[in-house]
Amino acid sequence: MDSSLPPTPFDHQNTEPKKTFMTSFLIPLFSNHFKEDTYFLSELKPSEQKSLQDLKHKLSSSSFAASSMWGVPLLCGDDRADVILLKFLRARDFKVSDSLRMLEKCLEWREEFKTEKLTEEDLGFKDLEGKVAYMRGYDREGHPVCYNVYGVFKEREMYERVFGDEEKLNKFLRWRVQVLERGVTKLLHFKPGGVNSIIQVTDLKDMPKRELRVASNQILSLFQDNYPEMVATKIFINVPWYFSVLYSMFSPFLTHRTKSKFVMSKEGNAAETLYKFIRPEDIPVQYGGLGRPTDSQTGPPKPASEFSIKGGEKVNIQIEGIEGGATISWEIVVGGWDLEYTAEFIPNAEESYAIVVEKPRQMKDSDEAVCNSYTTGEAGKLIISVDNTLSRKKKVAAYRYTVRKSTTAV
């Protein structure tokens, strides 16, 4: 019968992988833990509880008393409504009048923008889906992750199509809101103790300055005004040198609370930064992870094992207990590679010779994860090596594998 071992090496029985190092042991990576503000009423300060009740009272006396957001009536009296109202209160430091004003403006905007029908609208940007703005995977705390990639607009033809005039820009902004609305509606819980915000990752690589000025100010302002406390952390990767100048231009329009959630990562450090917040199997391959668009078609991604490689270090990952005739499949990636990679199979029999599965090759910094497989002729072990001895830079890395036993006796 066919059988396959679990994808996570540390779960295997009798196939615990050995890891050998030239200079030091493997160092696990730990992420910073970002805790969301509480939405349990019992954990609010008395003054905050009073502000919530006062906001409800004022809202009930306004023309928006029967209004809803994301399918939740704001005065329905359940936890979901409290979560939404608390977001507006926190965005205005629990000042009731300011929070009500913000809420009413947001409701007016949603009515004018027709957000309730927006999720099903075809705006003609199918070719941008999965490329420019898309939801994929979760961070280490369970927040959905939204990626924003604008480098595609460096091409003049694409720029003219999307940003050529005000009408086109407004249509793009509408599509961008659509992506967020779908994520908020489908992926957030609006429950105390649940996941009530997302992570945003914005890739600034190859983004033309013009589009950054035109689109970013409007998108940031629009999201800040109408989606308060919806973003737990906003990560900017591949940040170019000139971004500090542009950031100073739109920074005055952002609240201190919003700016406190920003994380900046310069060019070449995308993987190192993202690994702190997101597991490698959920990070897209173009950013030094193992995640591929097709992963969602086969259920949750298979967990990966993480490790780091110091400068001047070589790491050998040994996967033992592989039976004859079995097929082992593996994926491995090192953030910003720029090192040597190789794989070989060592038979258990003393008279056998090592088999080169993948010849040593120098990986470029732009290379994505290696994905390969090998069917054994006899029992033995696979050794995957990454050699960082010529570099001084510490790098994050991850791998995962599965072993499928032979269907015939060996």
Side-chain angles (χ1 to χ4, degrees), residues 177-193:
V177 170
Q178 182 187 65
V179 174
L180 183 58
E181 280 288 318
R182 287 173 175 172
V184 169
T185 304
K186 296 178 181 179
L187 301 175
L188 297 190
H189 300 159
F190 294 117
K191 284 284 187 180

Side-chain angles (χ1 to χ4, degrees), residues 98-345:
D98 291 347
S99 301
L100 178 64
R101 190 176 304 111
M102 181 186 190
L103 177 59
E104 289 178 337
K105 287 184 178 180
C106 176
L107 289 168
E108 289 175 352
W109 172 80
R110 292 183 67 83
E111 177 64 27
E112 178 183 340
F113 216 75
K114 295 181 173 53
T115 54
E116 299 302 322
K117 299 180 180 179
L118 182 59
T119 56
E120 303 303 323
E121 208 172 312
D122 184 359
L123 297 172
F125 289 116
K126 291 290 184 181
D127 58 326
L128 300 186
E129 293 180 2
K131 296 180 181 179
V132 173
Y134 54 94
M135 306 293 300
R136 182 175 300 168
Y138 301 85
D139 78 344
R140 295 178 184 269
E141 306 297 331
H143 301 101
V145 182
C146 179
Y147 290 89
N148 306 284
V149 187
Y150 297 124
V152 64
F153 297 122
K154 67 179 181 180
E155 297 179 6
R156 185 69 183 178
E157 182 180 348
M158 180 64 74
Y159 165 72
E160 290 296 337
R161 177 193 158 196
V162 178
F163 299 103
D165 55 44
E166 186 174 356
E167 182 181 351
K168 292 177 180 178
L169 175 58
N170 288 335
K171 188 176 181 181
F172 172 78
L173 292 175
R174 186 168 180 79
W175 174 77
R176 186 61 191 83
V177 170
Q178 182 187 65
V179 174
L180 183 58
E181 280 288 318
R182 287 173 175 172
V184 169
T185 304
K186 296 178 181 179
L187 301 175
L188 297 190
H189 300 159
F190 294 117
K191 284 284 187 180
V195 175
N196 299 305
S197 58
I198 67 173
I199 296 288
Q200 281 196 340
V201 177
T202 299
D203 183 2
L204 301 183
K205 185 176 182 179
D206 294 330
M207 177 188 281
K209 300 178 186 179
R210 178 166 48 179
E211 287 75 45
L212 191 60
R213 289 197 300 268
V214 172
S216 292
N217 286 353
Q218 294 192 42
I219 292 175
L220 284 171
S221 177
L222 187 151
F223 285 3
Q224 180 178 252
D225 292 343
N226 300 291
Y227 297 89
E229 302 302 307
M230 286 295 184
V231 177
T233 306
K234 186 169 183 62
I235 306 170
F236 294 89
I237 59 174
N238 295 315
V239 176
W241 62 269
Y242 60 79
F243 184 74
S244 59
V245 177
L246 296 171
Y247 178 73
S248 66
M249 295 173 60
F250 62 73
S251 179
F253 301 99
L254 304 174
T255 65
H256 175 73
R257 188 176 178 87
T258 296
K259 287 185 285 187
S260 69
K261 299 177 181 180
F262 285 7
V263 175
M264 304 289 181
S265 176
K266 65 181 181 180
E267 290 185 81
N269 284 358
E272 180 182 353
T273 300
L274 294 179
Y275 273 51
K276 295 177 182 178
F277 299 90
I278 309 168
R279 288 192 53 81
E281 63 267 20
D282 279 319
I283 297 175
V285 289
Q286 63 266 35
Y287 299 130
L290 297 173
R292 303 178 188 277
T294 55
D295 288 348
S296 60
Q297 300 173 7
T298 57
K302 295 178 175 65
S305 296
E306 300 175 61
F307 62 101
S308 61
I309 313 173
K310 290 182 178 180
E313 181 180 61
K314 180 178 180 180
V315 174
N316 298 316
I317 301 172
Q318 298 189 32
I319 304 173
E320 298 185 323
I322 304 173
E323 299 178 358
T327 298
I328 179 168
S329 302
W330 70 94
E331 294 173 86
I332 184 169
V333 67
V334 178
W337 289 87
D338 193 24
L339 47 70
E340 187 178 87
Y341 157 80
T342 186
E344 62 178 355
F345 183 77

